[in-house]
Amino acid sequence: MPFSDFHGNAETVRTLREMLARAHFPHAVILSGPQGAGKFTLSQMVAKAMNCLERPVADGLPDFCGHCSNCVRIAEADALEERFAEAVEARENLRDADKRETRILVQTHPDVLIVPPDPPQMLVKVDQVRHVIHEIYYKPVEGRERVYIFSDADFMKEAANALLKVLEEPPEFATIFLLSDNPSALLPTIRSRCMHLRLAPVTATEVEQYLARTRPEWKPRERALVARVCGGGLGRARSFDVAAYLAARQDALTLLGPAMGVRDHSDLFRVTDTYRAGAEGKAKTEQLIRTLYSLLEDMLFLKSGTSDLVRNQDIQPELARMAENVDFAWIVAAVQRLGEVESGMRRNLLRSLALDSFATALER
Ligand SMILES: [Zn+2]
């Protein structure tokens, strides 16, 4: 998967590759842009190009092969959400004393480290930055350049100050990427020490065109739905499980039934009963919760007269009828209750019961 596979933002990609060609890459780069624009994908591509053993050239500029041992190992972190979930789960299984001292990091190649925000606060913590400081001054082990990717550069204060020290004295052979959808939240002293590149959002129409090429087997209305649900994220769109989404959405609509005046709860109980314990039930419940959020948000768009923002456009008439049934305060309360269900899931409350009480509490 070379640079030519990156969609959109051709100028920014070209700038990065020209800097690679000059072999004088900046020590720190802020790559900003909305969620789904490809910030992480692009920084991974640069990490591969820096360390590729074959160093191919395309259009006169550095590229990467995608199949040498460095490219392959770096690419193992391309599925960042999965690697992140594995790291979090590994920490959950530690003894309490070790748990407190373990920070979430993703490393599939010795010279490329990804620093995601650390849950539950979802902020970068000082211990994560200390880990970076501890190793960044050593020469690369197997590659030519050490790469540090802060996949969501949202720092706790102490962590930001620690990072500043590295940026004041960066080593020759390391590059730090700060990925952010809100770069103005970074300390001015950090911003002034970084080169800043911006990625423009990918529009829903562009995602649809991309899906027409990569997912020709999908129906056009499915491609339109996925493009909107994925909010411009190409990677997510391509691997989207439409059938699972539609099933979750059907369940979500059943859960909203009591709030819409359905008095017979037998359909509701039949649906919630399928949300069981265990890992499979967890993934299914998470998808249901995400889908419920998107339906509630669509109802909010419809109520506020911004129907062009509705994501589940294929069922817009049904959503409009539902929106007419409720007021803003109800939607706010529903979102809040959904947040409680979500945190209850983390404490392993019985899923079917939590969903039942969510649905019946919204009854009016
Ligand atoms: Zn390679």
Side-chain angles (χ1 to χ4, degrees), residues 143-204:
R144 290 181 300 275
E145 190 93 13
R146 280 189 180 274
V147 184
Y148 295 86
I149 303 173
F150 290 83
S151 59
D152 193 348
D154 207 353
F155 294 89
M156 290 185 84
K157 196 160 173 265
E158 215 187 339
N161 287 329
L163 179 70
L164 198 53
K165 294 212 176 69
V166 187
L167 296 178
E168 281 164 356
E169 277 181 87
E172 268 306 306
F173 38 75
T175 292
I176 295 171
F177 277 100
L178 302 175
L179 313 185
S180 174
D181 51 15
N182 182 20
S184 58
L186 289 163
L187 286 180
T189 40
I190 288 184
R191 286 206 305 271
S192 68
R193 286 177 170 81
C194 297
M195 175 170 192
H196 190 172
L197 295 171
R198 291 172 184 81
L199 292 184
V202 183
T203 64

Side-chain angles (χ1 to χ4, degrees), residues 2-3 30 44 52 68 73-74 82 86 88 90 140 147 166 173 180-181 214 236 247 252 270 294 296 298 335 343:
F3 278 110
I30 295 172
Q44 281 280 94
C52 179
C68 72
R73 276 182 297 162
I74 295 169
E82 284 165 42
E86 286 163 9
V88 172
V147 184
V166 187
F173 38 75
S180 174
D181 51 15
T214 52
R236 219 187 128 210
R270 186 180 46 74
S294 82
L296 291 169
D298 281 353
V335 168
S343 56

Side-chain angles (χ1 to χ4, degrees), residues 294-347:
S294 82
L295 292 179
L296 291 169
E297 198 173 46
D298 281 353
M299 286 160 71
L300 211 53
F301 291 145
L302 287 163
K303 281 201 93 61
S304 53
T306 47
S307 58
D308 51 316
L309 296 175
V310 169
R311 280 180 289 200
N312 294 278
Q313 267 188 342
D314 54 323
I315 55 164
Q316 186 163 327
E318 186 174 356
L319 290 173
R321 274 196 302 279
M322 291 166 69
E324 271 171 31
N325 256 318
V326 296
D327 54 20
F328 283 106
W330 180 90
I331 298 179
V332 171
V335 168
Q336 195 179 356
R337 280 185 182 279
L338 196 53
E340 288 163 13
V341 175
E342 213 178 357
S343 56
M345 293 301 156
R346 280 196 287 272
R347 296 196 309 273

Side-chain angles (χ1 to χ4, degrees), residues 48 51-56 64-72:
K48 289 170 199 168
N51 291 305
C52 179
L53 299 171
E54 296 194 4
R55 314 184 77 170
F64 56 96
C65 74
H67 52 71
C68 72
S69 64
N70 281 348
C71 281
V72 166

